[in-house]
Coordinates of all heavy atoms in Angstrom, one line a residue:
Chain D
Y4 N 63.3 -37.6 -6.8 CA 61.9 -37.9 -6.5 C 61.1 -37.9 -7.8 O 61.4 -37.0 -8.7 CB 61.3 -36.8 -5.6 CG 61.8 -36.9 -4.1 CD1 62.4 -35.8 -3.6 CD2 61.7 -38.1 -3.4 CE1 62.9 -35.9 -2.3 CE2 62.2 -38.1 -2.1 CZ 62.8 -37.0 -1.6 OH 63.2 -37.1 -0.3
F15 N 40.5 -20.5 -1.5 CA 39.2 -20.3 -2.2 C 38.6 -19.1 -1.5 O 38.2 -19.2 -0.4 CB 38.3 -21.5 -2.1 CG 38.7 -22.7 -2.9 CD1 39.0 -23.9 -2.2 CD2 38.8 -22.6 -4.3 CE1 39.4 -25.0 -2.9 CE2 39.2 -23.7 -5.0 CZ 39.5 -24.9 -4.3
L26 N 55.2 -32.6 -0.1 CA 55.1 -34.1 -0.4 C 56.2 -34.5 -1.2 O 56.7 -33.8 -2.1 CB 53.8 -34.3 -1.2 CG 53.5 -35.6 -1.9 CD1 52.9 -36.6 -0.9 CD2 52.5 -35.4 -3.0
G38 N 42.1 -38.0 5.7 CA 41.6 -36.9 6.5 C 40.1 -36.8 6.4 O 39.5 -37.4 5.5
L50 N 45.5 -29.6 -7.5 CA 46.7 -28.8 -7.7 C 47.8 -29.5 -8.5 O 48.4 -28.9 -9.4 CB 47.2 -28.4 -6.3 CG 46.5 -27.3 -5.6 CD1 47.1 -27.1 -4.2 CD2 46.5 -26.0 -6.3
T69 N 56.7 -27.4 -12.6 CA 55.5 -27.5 -13.4 C 54.8 -26.2 -13.5 O 53.6 -26.2 -14.0 CB 54.6 -28.6 -12.9 OG1 54.1 -28.1 -11.6 CG2 55.3 -29.9 -12.7
S74 N 47.0 -28.9 -17.5 CA 46.5 -30.3 -17.3 C 47.1 -31.3 -18.3 O 47.5 -32.4 -18.0 CB 45.0 -30.4 -17.2 OG 44.5 -29.6 -16.3
I101 N 38.3 -46.1 -23.0 CA 39.7 -46.5 -22.9 C 40.5 -46.0 -24.1 O 41.7 -45.5 -24.0 CB 39.8 -48.1 -22.9 CG1 38.9 -48.6 -21.8 CG2 41.2 -48.5 -22.7 CD1 39.4 -48.4 -20.4
R119 N 40.1 -43.5 -44.8 CA 40.2 -44.9 -44.3 C 41.4 -45.6 -44.9 O 41.3 -46.7 -45.6 CB 38.9 -45.7 -44.7 CG 37.7 -45.2 -43.8 CD 38.0 -45.5 -42.3 NE 36.7 -45.4 -41.5 CZ 36.4 -44.4 -40.7 NH1 37.2 -43.4 -40.6 NH2 35.3 -44.5 -40.0
F124 N 43.2 -48.5 -40.4 CA 42.7 -49.9 -40.0 C 43.8 -50.5 -39.1 O 43.4 -51.2 -38.1 CB 42.4 -50.7 -41.2 CG 41.1 -50.3 -41.9 CD1 41.2 -49.6 -43.1 CD2 39.9 -50.5 -41.3 CE1 40.0 -49.2 -43.7 CE2 38.7 -50.1 -41.9 CZ 38.8 -49.5 -43.2
E127 N 43.7 -48.8 -35.6 CA 42.4 -49.1 -34.9 C 42.5 -50.5 -34.4 O 42.0 -50.8 -33.2 CB 41.2 -48.9 -35.8 CG 40.8 -47.5 -36.1 CD 40.2 -46.8 -34.9 OE1 39.2 -47.4 -34.3 OE2 40.6 -45.7 -34.5
A147 N 33.0 -54.3 -22.8 CA 33.6 -53.3 -23.7 C 32.6 -52.5 -24.5 O 32.8 -51.3 -24.7 CB 34.5 -54.1 -24.7
D148 N 31.5 -53.1 -24.9 CA 30.6 -52.3 -25.8 C 29.4 -51.7 -25.0 O 28.4 -51.3 -25.6 CB 30.1 -53.2 -27.0 CG 31.3 -53.5 -27.9 OD1 32.1 -52.5 -28.1 OD2 31.5 -54.6 -28.3
S155 N 27.4 -50.2 -13.4 CA 27.3 -50.0 -11.9 C 28.4 -49.1 -11.5 O 29.4 -48.9 -12.2 CB 27.5 -51.3 -11.2 OG 28.8 -51.7 -11.3
G157 N 30.6 -49.3 -9.2 CA 31.9 -49.9 -9.0 C 32.7 -50.2 -10.4 O 33.9 -49.9 -10.5
T170 N 47.1 -44.0 -20.3 CA 48.0 -43.0 -20.7 C 49.5 -43.3 -20.3 O 50.3 -42.5 -20.4 CB 47.6 -41.6 -20.2 OG1 47.7 -41.7 -18.7 CG2 46.2 -41.3 -20.5
L177 N 44.6 -41.7 -7.4 CA 43.3 -42.3 -7.3 C 42.5 -41.6 -6.2 O 42.9 -41.6 -5.1 CB 43.4 -43.8 -7.0 CG 44.2 -44.6 -8.0 CD1 44.4 -46.0 -7.5 CD2 43.6 -44.6 -9.4
D178 N 41.4 -40.9 -6.6 CA 40.6 -40.2 -5.7 C 39.4 -41.1 -5.2 O 38.5 -41.3 -6.0 CB 40.1 -38.9 -6.2 CG 39.6 -37.9 -5.2 OD1 39.4 -38.4 -4.0 OD2 39.5 -36.7 -5.4
N197 N 47.8 -54.1 -6.5 CA 49.1 -54.8 -6.3 C 49.7 -55.4 -7.6 O 50.9 -55.4 -7.8 CB 48.8 -55.9 -5.3 CG 48.9 -55.4 -3.9 OD1 49.7 -54.5 -3.6 ND2 48.2 -55.9 -2.9
I199 N 49.2 -54.3 -10.6 CA 49.8 -53.2 -11.4 C 51.1 -52.8 -10.9 O 52.1 -52.5 -11.6 CB 48.8 -51.9 -11.4 CG1 47.5 -52.3 -12.0 CG2 49.4 -50.8 -12.2 CD1 46.4 -51.2 -11.9
S207 N 54.4 -45.0 -9.3 CA 54.0 -44.6 -8.0 C 52.5 -44.3 -7.9 O 51.9 -44.0 -8.9 CB 54.7 -43.3 -7.6 OG 56.1 -43.3 -8.0
F208 N 52.0 -44.4 -6.7 CA 50.5 -44.1 -6.5 C 50.3 -43.1 -5.4 O 51.0 -43.1 -4.4 CB 49.8 -45.4 -6.1 CG 49.7 -46.5 -7.2 CD1 50.8 -47.3 -7.5 CD2 48.6 -46.6 -7.9 CE1 50.7 -48.3 -8.4 CE2 48.5 -47.6 -8.9 CZ 49.6 -48.4 -9.2
E212 N 41.5 -42.3 0.2 CA 40.5 -43.3 0.5 C 40.0 -43.2 1.9 O 40.8 -42.9 2.8 CB 41.1 -44.7 0.3 CG 40.2 -45.9 0.1 CD 38.9 -45.6 -0.5 OE1 38.8 -45.4 -1.7 OE2 37.9 -45.6 0.3
V227 N 48.3 -37.2 6.6 CA 47.0 -36.9 7.1 C 46.7 -35.4 7.1 O 47.5 -34.6 7.6 CB 46.9 -37.4 8.6 CG1 45.4 -37.3 9.1 CG2 47.4 -38.8 8.7
E241 N 52.7 -46.1 12.1 CA 52.9 -44.9 12.9 C 51.6 -44.1 12.9 O 51.2 -43.5 13.9 CB 54.0 -44.0 12.3 CG 55.4 -44.6 12.4 CD 56.4 -43.9 11.5 OE1 56.1 -42.9 10.8 OE2 57.6 -44.4 11.4
A251 N 41.5 -36.3 15.5 CA 41.0 -35.6 14.4 C 40.1 -36.4 13.5 O 39.1 -35.9 13.0 CB 42.1 -35.0 13.5
Y257 N 37.8 -45.4 12.1 CA 38.7 -46.6 12.0 C 38.0 -47.7 12.7 O 38.0 -48.9 12.3 CB 40.1 -46.3 12.5 CG 41.0 -47.4 12.3 CD1 41.1 -48.0 11.0 CD2 41.8 -47.9 13.3 CE1 41.9 -49.1 10.8 CE2 42.7 -48.9 13.0 CZ 42.8 -49.5 11.8 OH 43.6 -50.5 11.5

Side-chain angles (χ1 to χ4, degrees):
Chain D
Y4 291 123
F15 288 119
L26 165 85
L50 284 175
T69 64
S74 302
I101 306 289
R119 288 297 194 256
F124 287 106
E127 283 288 308
D148 294 318
S155 72
T170 66
L177 302 174
D178 199 342
N197 276 328
I199 300 171
S207 317
F208 291 79
E212 196 32 76
V227 189
E241 292 164 6
Y257 187 47

